[in-house]
Amino acid sequence: MASMSSLQYTEERPFKVIVAKLGLDGHDRGAKVIARALKDAGFEVVYTGIRQTPEQVARAAIEEDADVIGVSILSGAHIHHVRLLMEKLSEMGGSDIPVVVGGTIPIVDVDELKRLGVRDVFLPGESLGRIVDVVRKLAEEKRRAELSGG
Amino acid sequence: MRSLAEAELSLSEKVDFKQLLESAAKGNLRSIGRLLTLMENPYRLPPEVFDGIARMAGKAHIIGVTGIPGAGKSTLISKLITEFRRRGNRVAVVAIDPSSPLSGGALLGDRLRMQEKAEDPGVFIRSVSTRGLRGGLSLAALSMVEVLDALGYDKVIIETVGVGQAETDIMNAVHTVVVVTMPGVGDDIQALKAGVMEIGNIYVLNKSDLPGAQEAFEYISFALSKGELGQRTGDWSPRLIRASAVMGSGVEDVANVIDEHISYLRSNGLAYEKVAARRLTLVRLMAERMIADSVERALQVKINDLKERVARAEGILEISAELADAACKLMSSTKPK
């Protein structure tokens, strides 16, 4: 069938990232700094706001066809919320969407978050540069997996 | 390894559309999300797929919501979603926000204000950025509308900022145009200027609990009134409604008038005309996009030769004509089968 091979100079589709705050946590300065850095680096950022349920975040990622989900948590309830988020994602058929987590995460919890399926964890003091690089790398991996029928 | 952008040109070839459409029709949100992504570049779809989708569409009530940034469009839409859900409608939203002209990135923040019904299976919200596309925004948005209409959403709401050409294209292709404004953004002369005060079927004076609301209401009423020599056509006179979306007041009135407007269109045989206008807009935008792409290709081939000559103003018109000619040749040599 006729896909139009002539159209090859169209702009590429920018990576789309969900930036979300999970749970009862209204401290969104960090999430906004990240959202802005990603926007400045050329990402399309959907910011879903504070006090989101795991279901709301999973729904947003699925409806937006996001390439990466970035979750910011400063409440201490990261293990609980992230576990629920991963369950919801898998229920909705979105297990292939990579999740990263940032915030006031004690270093002893990093392994547990990774066991739950989190691809990377950003602790206090992390550089914006590395966050943007990691998100870009995960987004590109996901897009390539889609193209190879993954 | 090929660059991702290059590899993604063949994205639609990797898709099993039959399966994707069936799954989306059953309400699988992931499939709907994927389908909307493919609508971002609809001219790359297999032609029969686009027709197939559009033939299932045509039943939904398409509502365009526009107005200046900060007027409260997203908040009003959020409340309207709740109100239309109460009336038993399934509701989809396509929310458009601008891209950065510098980085190409975007902060899409409309969804943030529409979380009231975020877990309701009868609601679907998609954010879209303008991406600095030549007409591409309206093309993507209107193609997404075809999909959401085809999937049986009763109300499909498109939110846009401003009154540029892209917004005009979109507003000409919807059934009902809702313009949201607020007190304190200009006097009676602003309200009389051409443009936004002429495109709406329904005007919402939002934040009408703020000082200056009564004055604003009067300015807008005057601007909307049919002058002796007025050009407004048809029997529908634009309506002005006071609301405060945050407080929830006036929202039911807005929903009532939106429903009244589609009843008016349907009972006068005008609803189908709007669908026809939308399809015609789609065709025009797709053709424009194809031509623009060929021009870009032709330009890339010769850009190094042209740059200096153009900078020195040696034959700007001739070079443009040559470029147009080369683009046409490129197009006719790569016609779809």
Side-chain angles (χ1 to χ4, degrees):
Chain A
M1 116 54 225
S3 102
M4 309 220 167
S5 53
S6 65
L7 301 168
Q8 44 186 299
Y9 283 102
T10 43
E11 42 291 283
E12 55 181 294
R13 187 156 65 92
F15 292 128
K16 202 169 194 181
V17 184
I18 302 284
V19 173
K21 296 280 309 174
L22 263 182
L24 283 178
D25 167 10
H27 299 280
D28 59 354
R29 176 65 64 90
K32 284 174 178 164
V33 168
I34 303 289
R36 184 189 151 148
L38 289 166
K39 180 204 81 177
D40 290 344
F43 291 81
E44 289 184 357
V45 183
V46 179
Y47 180 57
T48 64
I50 55 176
R51 300 190 192 103
Q52 299 289 293
T53 66
E55 179 163 3
Q56 282 175 318
V57 176
R59 275 282 299 260
I62 300 266
E63 292 182 4
E64 299 289 350
D65 198 14
D67 297 304
V68 178
I69 302 172
V71 176
S72 158
I73 306 181
L74 289 86
S75 69
H78 39 274
I79 303 275
H80 173 73
H81 287 309
V82 168
R83 180 182 291 120
L84 290 175
L85 172 64
M86 300 318 254
E87 281 170 19
K88 283 288 168 200
L89 269 179
S90 136
E91 260 171 48
M92 295 182 194
S95 297
D96 61 313
I97 307 172
V99 175
V100 296
V101 176
T104 48
I105 316 286
I107 197 158
V108 292
D109 286 347
V110 171
D111 283 347
E112 177 63 18
L113 286 171
K114 290 201 170 161
R115 257 195 298 281
L116 291 171
V118 171
R119 300 291 297 275
D120 215 326
V121 180
F122 306 119
L123 306 179
E126 187 63 84
S127 82
L128 282 175
R130 193 180 88 84
I131 294 173
V132 168
D133 287 345
V134 167
V135 173
R136 184 177 285 125
K137 189 177 118 286
L138 290 172
E140 175 148 0
E141 269 174 31
K142 184 204 166 244
R143 289 271 184 97
R144 290 216 184 256
E146 267 163 26
L147 285 167
S148 59
Chain B
M1 195 157 51
R2 287 197 301 167
S3 82
L4 183 60
E6 224 176 304
E8 289 205 317
L9 291 174
S10 58
L11 181 61
S12 72
E13 287 162 27
K14 316 268 178 188
V15 178
D16 180 345
F17 279 98
K18 191 165 172 285
Q19 199 197 344
L20 190 62
L21 273 166
E22 271 171 20
S23 156
K26 283 184 196 138
N28 181 299
L29 299 174
R30 189 82 212 265
S31 301
I32 302 174
R34 292 300 296 160
L35 210 46
L36 293 180
T37 297
L38 292 160
M39 292 299 140
E40 290 176 1
N41 297 302
Y43 43 78
R44 291 213 196 89
L45 296 173
E48 66 279 8
V49 168
F50 200 90
D51 281 347
I53 292 169
R55 277 185 205 145
M56 293 195 291
K59 293 185 281 292
H61 179 192
I62 318 299
I63 304 158
V65 177
T66 191
I68 53 169
K73 297 179 291 298
S74 303
T75 306
L76 178 68
I77 289 171
S78 177
K79 302 284 176 172
L80 284 173
I81 292 172
T82 307
E83 180 60 26
F84 286 132
R85 286 301 291 148
R86 203 176 59 77
R87 298 175 186 204
N89 295 140
R90 292 175 69 217
V91 187
V93 179
V94 177
I96 302 168
D97 262 338
S99 304
S100 158
L102 300 179
S103 72
L107 187 59
L108 306 169
D110 292 330
R111 187 180 193 97
L112 158 70
R113 306 191 201 280
M114 300 182 193
Q115 294 289 35
E116 207 165 304
K117 287 276 166 186
E119 294 175 12
D120 180 336
V123 178
F124 195 101
I125 299 168
R126 178 68 171 235
S127 315
V128 183
S129 82
T130 53
R131 294 188 187 170
L133 302 180
R134 313 162 284 255
L137 159 67
S138 358
L139 179 55
L142 294 179
S143 302
M144 288 182 185
V145 165
E146 293 289 345
V147 169
L148 295 165
D149 184 344
L151 292 175
Y153 287 94
D154 303 293
K155 303 278 183 195
V156 180
I157 303 175
I158 315 184
E159 178 184 345
T160 68
V161 173
V163 283
Q165 185 55 48
E167 287 78 11
T168 310
D169 282 339
I170 291 176
M171 294 306 149
N172 283 334
V174 302
H175 291 110
T176 305
V177 177
V178 180
V179 176
V180 183
T181 184
M182 58 185 269
V185 294
D187 59 9
D188 49 344
I189 298 300
Q190 295 294 345
L192 280 175
K193 284 182 183 171
V196 73
M197 296 318 267
E198 294 166 339
I199 62 168
N201 306 115
I202 300 165
Y203 290 80
V204 178
L205 180 64
N206 196 29
K207 310 191 188 186
S208 59
D209 51 326
L210 292 184
Q214 186 54 34
E215 250 181 315
F217 188 88
E218 281 158 19
Y219 292 156
I220 299 166
S221 302
F222 176 64
L224 294 179
S225 62
K226 211 173 195 166
E228 216 170 303
L229 306 173
Q231 293 291 315
R232 293 184 193 284
T233 51
D235 297 330
W236 178 270
S237 308
R239 304 276 278 277
L240 173 60
I241 301 158
R242 284 188 185 85
S244 169
V246 166
M247 322 282 272
S249 75
V251 174
E252 212 182 318
D253 299 338
V254 176
N256 286 342
V257 179
I258 288 175
D259 279 345
E260 199 184 310
H261 186 250
I262 191 67
S263 301
Y264 158 78
L265 291 180
R266 284 182 178 143
S267 58
N268 288 285
L270 299 170
Y272 176 75
E273 275 180 32
K274 289 289 185 183
V275 176
R278 176 172 103 209
R279 302 273 160 80
L280 205 57
T281 304
L282 271 170
V283 165
R284 179 169 60 74
L285 292 173
M286 281 211 218
E288 283 177 8
R289 187 59 191 271
M290 290 169 191
I291 292 171
D293 272 320
S294 296
V295 170
E296 190 61 33
R297 275 180 77 201
L299 185 63
Q300 291 301 330
V301 174
K302 299 186 177 177
I303 192 147
N304 291 328
D305 303 343
L306 296 181
K307 227 171 165 179
E308 278 301 304
R309 283 172 60 202
V310 173
R312 289 193 302 266
E314 289 168 9
I316 290 177
L317 294 186
E318 290 91 334
I319 289 170
S320 307
E322 278 166 33
L323 199 58
D325 197 43
C328 289
K329 288 195 178 109
L330 273 174
M331 282 203 61
S332 56
S333 67
T334 51
K335 264 204 187 112
K337 288 166 222 112

